[in-house]
Amino acid sequence: MLQLVNSRRRAACDGTTRRDFLRVGALGATGVLLPDLLRARASTAQTGSPTKSTSVVWLWLGGGPTHVETFDPKMSAPAEYRSVTGSVKTVLPGVELGGNFEKVAKLADKLAFVRSFAHRNSGHGGGTHWVMTGYDFAAADNGAPPNKPGIGAVVARHRGPNSPATGLPTYVRMGGILGDGPSWLGAPYAPFDVQGRARTNMNLSVPADRLDDRKALLKNFDTIDRRLDASGLMSGMDGFEQQAFDLILSRAREVFDVKREDPKVRDKYGPGLGEQLLTARRLCEAGVGFVTIHYGGWDMHGGIKDAMNRLGPKVDHAVAAFVEDCHARGLDQDVLLVITGEFGRTPRINQGAGRDHWAPLSTLALAGGGLRVGQVVGESSEKAEVPRSKPIGPQDLMATVFHVLGLPQDLHYKDPTGRPTPMISGGQPIAELV
């Protein structure tokens, strides 16, 4: 899994920022580079199991994207409920999207919009944990660390942490998301962070004959007291640094460099989120299994119209470019795009002209992955308050991702007590899509 992060630092209403979720990664800023995790990843690589050569790009709209102004505008509802940005007709008869999504509307036959996605935790931490892992964990709202592995880490555990063919990580991220880590699966299955020091080292100009000397120098640091890192997080970062040396010696680093892409394609995607999605496409083509992109700023308690007019067109443009490009390259059967966040927003506009947290109906759209797209799945109530049809939950989304990636629906791993623990418990692939 690969996760990408954007540069905005907008705080959520609980005072946390994306930087709070990146503090673990900041351990690498000490400059201490040790090879421990490389050995761990090498020893665990043999645990990988054959799967489909498919990939997932997980676009996370952090903060809780409004389901109304994105994919369920409800223009027939009373004024205080309907989309404040209006709506736009799609190429699907009778289907409209929020007014900021004109380009995606023209490609609606290549996407599926789930209008009955729901869960029960309207807190940033708990809601994020539920969608990212498939499991509710209310303590996450009070800062407790995740108690279940994220989907990308599960993919890395099943496939192996690195591709045996290219050496590329199975799981890459662009920007931290609570619940995206391996939890008790262990540090070898954590994501490779595009923003981390390991990725920076891939760009260093170091003559090949000096790399061995540099590695030898790093070994001198192996005597550092490991008791400083009882959690194992430092060793996790060390492994990524060591992994970077292996990537330097291969052509794999070129995959991360969008400057090597055709300038016309780069222009089509555009900067910011577009460039991140382009990077994700390149990684998937090269065999990365799971890529996450955190694109935050969606905690719109006030002034939602202006906020949507600022962020909506950027998502519209970048997603449309990605979907069109994947189809043009014949990747629509192999690469699944998931667009979601921790919850939706309250159906009724509040006194601050915004919307508050609302998990009973949340935001979800999918494209590619060989799924049956060009449809709306499920139905919401008249005022977009709750699902009118059967609710689709995070477990069902997780099961659908497993289906696309070829992971067994009954996949189990032993937790720290040695007890076999299911990765999915009760979820089923979304029937309309598979």
Side-chain angles (χ1 to χ4, degrees):
M1 170 182 179
L2 173 61
Q3 182 175 23
L4 305 183
V5 66
N6 66 88
S7 61
R8 287 193 310 281
R9 301 189 184 186
R10 177 169 176 166
C13 61
D14 59 1
T16 60
T17 68
R18 214 176 44 261
R19 294 297 177 189
D20 291 317
F21 298 143
L22 289 174
R23 285 174 183 166
V24 169
L27 290 173
T30 61
V32 179
L33 310 177
L34 304 168
D36 291 352
L37 187 57
L38 181 65
R39 299 188 187 102
R41 292 172 79 95
S43 67
T44 57
Q46 301 303 316
T47 65
S49 303
T51 58
K52 297 180 181 178
S53 58
T54 46
S55 305
V56 170
V57 176
W58 184 275
L59 176 54
W60 185 260
L61 305 183
T66 165
H67 55 288
V68 179
E69 278 77 20
T70 53
F71 308 131
D72 195 5
K74 279 289 184 288
M75 299 310 293
S76 60
E80 63 270 28
Y81 292 90
R82 71 181 67 148
S83 169
V84 299
T85 57
S87 65
V88 58
K89 295 183 183 298
T90 73
V91 295
L92 301 176
V95 177
E96 296 182 343
L97 302 181
N100 294 126
F101 294 88
E102 295 180 356
K103 295 179 180 179
V104 170
K106 295 177 181 178
L107 299 170
D109 58 329
K110 297 176 176 60
L111 292 97
F113 307 97
V114 180
R115 291 180 172 174
S116 56
F117 185 53
H119 59 86
R120 299 183 303 278
N121 192 322
S122 295
H124 286 294
T128 298
H129 189 284
W130 204 335
V131 179
M132 290 298 298
T133 71
Y135 290 87
D136 186 20
F137 183 50
D141 285 318
N142 295 318
N147 70 345
K148 296 287 186 179
I151 302 176
V154 175
V155 177
R157 175 65 177 84
H158 185 72
R159 290 188 174 183
N162 294 83
S163 166
T166 66
L168 283 166
T170 296
Y171 174 23
V172 181
R173 75 178 181 189
M174 301 182 220
I177 307 171
L178 178 68
D180 66 1
S183 186
W184 45 262
L185 282 181
Y189 309 107
F192 181 97
D193 197 328
V194 172
Q195 300 300 118
R197 290 174 58 85
R199 174 64 186 93
T200 301
N201 283 351
M202 290 170 65
N203 292 329
L204 295 178
S205 298
V206 181
D209 59 358
R210 292 183 57 196
L211 283 173
D212 288 339
D213 289 341
R214 189 167 179 179
K215 285 186 177 182
L217 178 63
L218 294 179
K219 290 181 180 180
N220 292 332
F221 290 101
D222 280 341
T223 58
I224 287 180
D225 191 349
R226 285 302 192 181
R227 289 175 297 179
L228 294 176
D229 182 39
S231 67
L233 292 174
M234 181 66 83
S235 64
M237 288 303 297
D238 294 342
F240 296 135
E241 302 295 350
Q242 183 67 31
Q243 183 186 52
F245 280 113
D246 296 330
L247 293 173
I248 289 172
L249 293 174
S250 72
R251 296 188 62 222
R253 68 187 185 280
E254 298 177 6
V255 177
F256 289 87
D257 188 359
V258 295
K259 294 179 181 178
R260 298 176 183 270
E261 188 69 43
D262 184 333
K264 293 181 179 179
V265 175
R266 289 177 60 194
D267 289 344
K268 183 176 181 179
Y269 275 87
L273 178 59
E275 186 170 292
Q276 292 175 328
L277 280 168
L278 174 56
T279 302
R281 190 223 77 205
R282 289 170 60 84
L283 288 164
C284 292
E285 278 186 309
V288 171
F290 205 99
V291 179
T292 63
I293 301 175
H294 187 161
Y295 193 71
W298 299 82
D299 197 22
M300 301 174 182
H301 289 278
I304 193 170
K305 183 175 183 179
D306 289 342
M308 282 302 304
N309 286 338
R310 183 177 67 255
L311 293 183
K314 295 177 182 179
V315 173
D316 180 49
H317 177 87
V319 167
F322 181 87
V323 171
E324 283 188 313
D325 192 26
C326 284
H327 274 263
R329 292 172 178 272
L331 298 174
D332 54 295
Q333 298 297 305
D334 301 319
V335 178
L336 171 66
L337 174 65
V338 177
I339 306 170
T340 191
E342 59 261 52
F343 41 65
R345 311 300 296 188
T346 48
R348 188 186 182 104
I349 293 290
N350 63 27
Q351 293 183 349
R355 299 183 190 272
D356 302 314
H357 301 181
W358 191 257
L361 201 59
S362 301
T363 303
L364 177 61
L366 308 96
L371 298 179
R372 293 188 291 182
V373 293
Q375 61 171 320
V376 170
V377 176
E379 182 183 4
S380 61
S381 60
E382 292 182 0
K383 297 177 182 178
E385 297 164 308
V386 294
R388 172 175 284 173
S389 58
K390 179 182 178 181
I392 291 171
Q395 283 271 324
D396 302 313
L397 174 58
M398 193 170 183
T400 304
V401 169
F402 274 33
H403 169 82
V404 171
L405 294 175
L407 274 63
Q409 296 291 320
D410 61 350
L411 187 63
H412 286 66
Y413 291 114
K414 292 182 179 179
D415 67 15
T417 68
R419 180 179 181 180
T421 301
M423 298 297 97
I424 296 175
S425 180
Q428 296 292 327
I430 300 172
E432 295 88 340
L433 298 180
V434 300

